[in-house]
Structure formats: structure tokens, C-alpha cells
Amino acid sequence: MNRPAPDHEQHTEVGAYALGVLDEADAARFEEHLAGCPRCAAELDDLMGLTPLLADLKESAPGPEALAPRPDPALLDRLLAGVTATRRAQRTRRLCLVAAAAALIVAGPLVGAAVFSEEAPDHSGVSAAKQMYEDGEKIGAVDPVTKVDATVSLQPKAWGTHVALRLSHVRGPLTCDLVAVGKDGERQTVTTWAVPPGGYGLDGNDTGSKDDKGGKDDNGSKDDQDSKGDKGGKWSKEPLYTHGGAALNRSDISRFEVRTLDGKLLATVKV
């Protein structure tokens, strides 16, 4: 059961009653109040004159779509210009990124080679081979026949043994190799190189012994005018430094042999 509204609340319902927004129960209560309230009756009389005006206003008022705000033309132009500039900047940035990526693809191998050369020294260089020689375990020998002086420098690795070689008192021209010989007889070539006519590790007094025919010295090089002319040449005083590797553990190696490629033994280093 609905309770009647307090008297002070019914005084405020005049406008709602005039507009017809009260439900049936509230309208009935207000009418009961209105019968004994001159104040509300006077207000209602005034408000009822507004009802036709409100109806006319409703008919003539523009729809909601007409009330939507429209931007100023100048503002619209500025917004469009901003969007165009932003898109142009994004497009330029994308083009720059594409160009940079293309440059990196072209220069990548060169950059990689430069980085690699800084991080990992070129093992084919004489200075790198000499440094590796200095860092390892050194074992040397001088051959009693050829007088070739050979010293190997060994560094155990996970893959086998890194071998650096210092070679002197050898005359050219020759093509040689360094062979690692395992305790089980297995042979592995560590590295190969060429000896120029001036040789390696020679001085002005190194002439090399000759055999009876005078055709070759004990190194196996030809004793001709070219080799004599190169005595004391650019490379003759400096020893050779070279290096390579063998897939044999340090403990499994018996010796190293310095040979010419046609099979002549120049030096043996037992380890």
C-alpha cells in the first residue's frame, strides 16, 4: 500500500503534474492535495499556460543532428594539414629505415669482417702467428744433418692441439709442410708454406753444406745463382712463424716433422 507523499514534497510536484510525467498513483495523490492547496492551484494555473508553448517549441525545434557542433573551417584545415605532415614524416622515416637496412645488407659482410678482425686476430698474419708461438709450450730441435732449427709451441684445445712453428736456417726455394705424428702412427698435416729463395733465419755466413755433386744443399734447395743472389735478402734474416692445428690431443702426439712436399725430411721435433 502506497503511503501519501509528505505535504512539502507535493508542493514540488506542480510542474511534473502540468507536464503529465507523474504516474497514475502520484497524479491521484497530487490532485487530492491540489483540492485543498490554493498555492499549488495558482502555480498550476500559471504553468498550464506554458503547455501549448512547449508543444509548439517541440514542433519547431531542430533535430539532434542539427545540434551537433561543426568545426570552424580554419580549424578543419589546420587539422588536415597536421595529419598530412604526420603521414609525410612517417613515410620519410620508413624510407630512411629501408635505406639503412639495404645499406646494412650490402655492407654487412664488410662490417662483420672488420668486427671479426678486431675480436679474433687473423691467424694467417705473421704477427699473430708469432704471438701464438710466444703463448704456448715450446719444444725445439736442430737437425744434425740439415741444420734446420725448428721449434713448435703447443696449446691444448677442446678440438685437439693448436701448433705454432718457428723455423730458421732453411734455404729456398722450397714448399714444406708440418706434420703431427701420433703415438699410434697417425699422421696429420698441421700447415704448409713456401720458402722463398732467400730462405728463413739465415745470415751472411750461412751457405749451407753441399753434397758431392754440388747440385743441392742439405735443405734440398737448389744451389744456383738465384739462391746466392738472394743471400741476405729481405726474408733471409727473419725466422718463419706459422701455425695450424691437429685433431690430436697433446698427450697423443709423439713428434712433429718438417718436410718438403716431395718427401725430404728437414727436421724432427720429439714431444
Side-chain angles (χ1 to χ4, degrees), residues 19 28 38 167 241:
L19 295 175
L167 190 70
Y241 289 95

PDB file of all heavy atoms in Angstrom, residues 19 28 38 167 241:
ATOM      1  N   LEU A  19       3.159  18.803 -16.742  1.00  0.00           N
ATOM      2  CA  LEU A  19       3.777  18.184 -17.919  1.00  0.00           C
ATOM      3  C   LEU A  19       3.269  16.771 -18.155  1.00  0.00           C
ATOM      4  O   LEU A  19       3.574  16.164 -19.182  1.00  0.00           O
ATOM      5  CB  LEU A  19       5.303  18.164 -17.769  1.00  0.00           C
ATOM      6  CG  LEU A  19       5.992  19.532 -17.734  1.00  0.00           C
ATOM      7  CD1 LEU A  19       7.486  19.371 -17.451  1.00  0.00           C
ATOM      8  CD2 LEU A  19       5.790  20.272 -19.066  1.00  0.00           C
ATOM      9  N   ALA A  28      -2.927  10.993  -8.717  1.00  0.00           N
ATOM     10  CA  ALA A  28      -4.140  10.979  -7.872  1.00  0.00           C
ATOM     11  C   ALA A  28      -3.861  11.637  -6.532  1.00  0.00           C
ATOM     12  O   ALA A  28      -4.684  12.417  -6.013  1.00  0.00           O
ATOM     13  CB  ALA A  28      -4.600   9.539  -7.681  1.00  0.00           C
ATOM     14  N   PRO A  38      -4.412  26.200  -2.141  1.00  0.00           N
ATOM     15  CA  PRO A  38      -4.516  27.335  -3.070  1.00  0.00           C
ATOM     16  C   PRO A  38      -3.173  27.669  -3.732  1.00  0.00           C
ATOM     17  O   PRO A  38      -3.119  28.098  -4.889  1.00  0.00           O
ATOM     18  CB  PRO A  38      -4.997  28.479  -2.193  1.00  0.00           C
ATOM     19  CG  PRO A  38      -5.589  27.828  -0.991  1.00  0.00           C
ATOM     20  CD  PRO A  38      -4.835  26.565  -0.776  1.00  0.00           C
ATOM     21  N   LEU A 167     110.674 -21.433 -37.505  1.00  0.00           N
ATOM     22  CA  LEU A 167     111.606 -22.177 -38.363  1.00  0.00           C
ATOM     23  C   LEU A 167     112.708 -21.246 -38.849  1.00  0.00           C
ATOM     24  O   LEU A 167     112.432 -20.145 -39.321  1.00  0.00           O
ATOM     25  CB  LEU A 167     110.859 -22.771 -39.563  1.00  0.00           C
ATOM     26  CG  LEU A 167     111.631 -23.761 -40.435  1.00  0.00           C
ATOM     27  CD1 LEU A 167     111.851 -25.069 -39.674  1.00  0.00           C
ATOM     28  CD2 LEU A 167     110.862 -24.038 -41.726  1.00  0.00           C
ATOM     29  N   TYR A 241     107.399 -17.722 -38.903  1.00  0.00           N
ATOM     30  CA  TYR A 241     106.387 -18.053 -37.903  1.00  0.00           C
ATOM     31  C   TYR A 241     105.107 -18.423 -38.650  1.00  0.00           C
ATOM     32  O   TYR A 241     104.613 -17.645 -39.478  1.00  0.00           O
ATOM     33  CB  TYR A 241     106.104 -16.864 -36.975  1.00  0.00           C
ATOM     34  CG  TYR A 241     107.231 -16.556 -36.026  1.00  0.00           C
ATOM     35  CD1 TYR A 241     108.176 -15.590 -36.356  1.00  0.00           C
ATOM     36  CD2 TYR A 241     107.339 -17.215 -34.808  1.00  0.00           C
ATOM     37  CE1 TYR A 241     109.222 -15.295 -35.486  1.00  0.00           C
ATOM     38  CE2 TYR A 241     108.378 -16.924 -33.934  1.00  0.00           C
ATOM     39  CZ  TYR A 241     109.311 -15.963 -34.280  1.00  0.00           C
ATOM     40  OH  TYR A 241     110.355 -15.669 -33.417  1.00  0.00           O
TER      41      TYR A 241
END
